[in-house]
Amino acid sequence: MKRPTIPDLAEAAGVSVSTINRILNDAGNVRQSTRERVLRAAAEIGFYGLGTIEHAVSIGRERHRLGVLLQRGDRTFYRNLGDALTTEAEAFAGDRIELTLEFLEDLSPDKVADHIRSLGERCESLAVVAPQHPLVADGIDWVINRGVPVTSLIGPLSARGNVSFVGLDNWKVGRTAAWAFDKMVRKPGKIGILVGNYRLRNQEMNESGFRMYFREHNNKFVLLDPLITYETAAVARELVETMLTTHPDMCGLFVSGGGITGAISALRDTPKRDDFVSVGYELFGETRAALIDGTLSLVISHPMRTFARRSLETLIKTKKTGPDAGAQRVTIGFEIYSPESV
């Protein structure tokens, strides 16, 4: 086959030959949308100067220095979220994203606030997963006052400045979990509740929606006081073992926050009961296996790639509009998994 020529590329892209020449010569008077269209056409027809056009397109793309601060990197959920953010940043269409992604092992409020300030000095728009605390809010305001917008991921955060949010409707998450218990439990009884940290507001809202559903629809269930896992599997395991011993008549367990792998281990060490329902949070290897073997009855999860993409889009939007333009609120739909759907 004859190698595609410049006129062939011009015809495929719907532009003039002179436009193709200007792009190949890296002239600055060609619109970025036209460059992108020519690049797509060059890839489709196998144009010999594809590398030159790719360079011209990349030069014209706007650059965004984005920062994301996640919690502990030893937790599967945050590793998966970090991988999804990295993948979406590399594939992001139209703009160049320079992503600074960091995990924070020490979650004490002063350390979180210091790290937020550090990222705020290096990035143009910042997203964080953090507990609600006055020191954290002060760190956020310090960054916003420098002109760097801040977006909270997973759970909303408040400060004096405008803080955007990307995540699930946690009220609906809690109510959906309660609905599952209401429909699946054969005989209403006691339900144990685990939360990771009361200062993580998404978990507070999960529990609030959970309780409100039962007040409205079925007050025959007894909701035990929530126990805090501190986002740790070992603590969650011990708490579940204690609950099952103290309340052998429990009909279910709702794991609203961190430590679900520990809760799964404790449930597996207990003789299985057909009348026991367990609902967990986030789908990954361990929770998928627990669904398959019947340890978990239902899992509510973030759609990871969608979550990552919408987060990056929000960071770019807030960068362009600035922190004084008002907070953005992006609510994404959650996924529900049963043993039959994984």
Side-chain angles (χ1 to χ4, degrees):
M1 292 180 62
K2 186 180 71 172
R3 188 171 68 169
T5 63
I6 289 177
D8 294 330
L9 177 58
E11 181 179 358
V15 298
S16 66
V17 170
S18 62
T19 297
I20 301 298
N21 284 324
R22 289 201 300 272
I23 293 174
L24 291 172
N25 292 318
D26 203 17
N29 58 347
V30 180
R31 289 182 299 179
Q32 183 63 18
S33 59
T34 302
R35 293 172 185 253
E36 300 279 356
R37 186 167 75 251
V38 170
L39 175 60
R40 290 193 295 271
E44 289 174 1
I45 69 173
F47 183 67
Y48 67 90
L50 181 61
T52 302
I53 297 175
E54 286 177 337
H55 175 74
V57 169
S58 66
I59 292 299
R61 286 174 175 165
E62 187 175 359
R63 185 185 71 161
H64 306 288
R65 290 185 291 112
L66 309 180
V68 178
L69 178 61
L70 302 179
Q71 295 191 11
R72 296 184 339 218
D74 62 342
R75 290 190 55 193
T76 303
F77 170 74
Y78 289 114
R79 290 201 309 272
N80 290 346
L81 177 55
D83 290 343
L85 286 164
T86 300
T87 299
E88 290 298 319
E90 292 173 350
F92 201 86
D95 294 314
R96 290 184 294 159
I97 294 179
E98 296 179 5
L99 181 64
T100 301
L101 174 65
E102 297 181 359
F103 298 91
L104 189 59
E105 305 303 320
D106 187 342
L107 300 181
S108 54
D110 58 328
K111 297 298 183 183
V112 175
D114 288 344
H115 216 93
I116 289 173
R117 292 188 183 94
S118 174
L119 271 176
E121 291 180 320
R122 292 175 277 146
C123 302
E124 299 170 312
S125 187
L126 178 61
V128 301
V129 179
Q132 182 68 54
H133 190 279
L135 289 174
V136 174
D138 189 62
I140 290 173
D141 281 323
W142 186 90
V143 171
I144 291 175
N145 289 336
R146 290 176 59 89
V148 177
V150 177
T151 299
S152 176
L153 304 181
I154 300 175
L157 289 171
S158 60
R160 290 187 299 274
N162 294 317
V163 182
S164 298
F165 170 71
V166 182
L168 307 181
D169 185 329
N170 299 113
W171 175 263
K172 287 185 178 180
V173 168
R175 291 182 67 89
T176 300
W179 173 87
F181 283 101
D182 187 25
K183 302 305 179 185
M184 289 193 289
V185 172
R186 298 174 186 174
K187 182 179 179 181
K190 298 176 182 177
I191 299 177
I193 304 171
L194 293 183
V195 297
N197 186 327
Y198 277 131
R199 288 191 178 273
L200 292 171
R201 292 179 63 191
N202 61 305
Q203 297 181 21
E204 176 188 11
M205 296 166 71
N206 285 351
E207 185 198 348
S208 178
F210 189 72
R211 292 183 178 279
M212 186 58 69
Y213 176 93
F214 287 112
R215 291 192 191 113
E216 293 179 18
H217 297 288
N218 196 336
N219 59 12
K220 294 179 182 179
F221 283 89
V222 177
L223 306 185
L224 301 177
D225 290 335
L227 302 178
I228 305 174
T229 69
Y230 301 102
E231 305 285 308
T232 303
V235 174
R237 179 186 176 103
E238 182 178 348
L239 291 175
V240 173
E241 290 173 345
T242 301
M243 274 194 290
L244 292 171
T245 301
T246 307
H247 305 283
D249 55 342
M250 277 174 54
C251 68
L253 175 68
F254 176 39
V255 185
S256 174
I260 191 168
T261 55
I264 289 171
S265 296
L267 291 173
R268 282 196 176 121
D269 288 344
T270 304
K272 280 188 170 58
R273 288 167 38 195
D274 292 338
D275 59 344
F276 191 91
V277 172
S278 53
V279 176
Y281 209 29
E282 301 306 342
L283 185 73
F284 50 93
E286 289 87 344
T287 55
R288 181 187 296 272
L291 280 171
I292 292 172
D293 68 22
T295 304
L296 289 178
S297 309
L298 201 74
V299 167
I300 299 173
S301 184
H302 286 79
M304 201 62 75
R305 293 288 296 272
T306 300
F307 182 32
R309 184 173 63 255
R310 296 300 301 276
S311 297
L312 295 175
E313 291 170 350
T314 302
L315 286 173
I316 292 172
K317 184 174 182 178
T318 56
K319 172 205 165 183
K320 291 180 176 180
T321 58
D324 296 330
Q328 302 291 319
R329 183 174 181 87
V330 179
T331 304
I332 57 177
F334 49 85
E335 298 174 338
I336 300 175
Y337 296 92
S338 73
E340 298 299 324
S341 67
V342 293

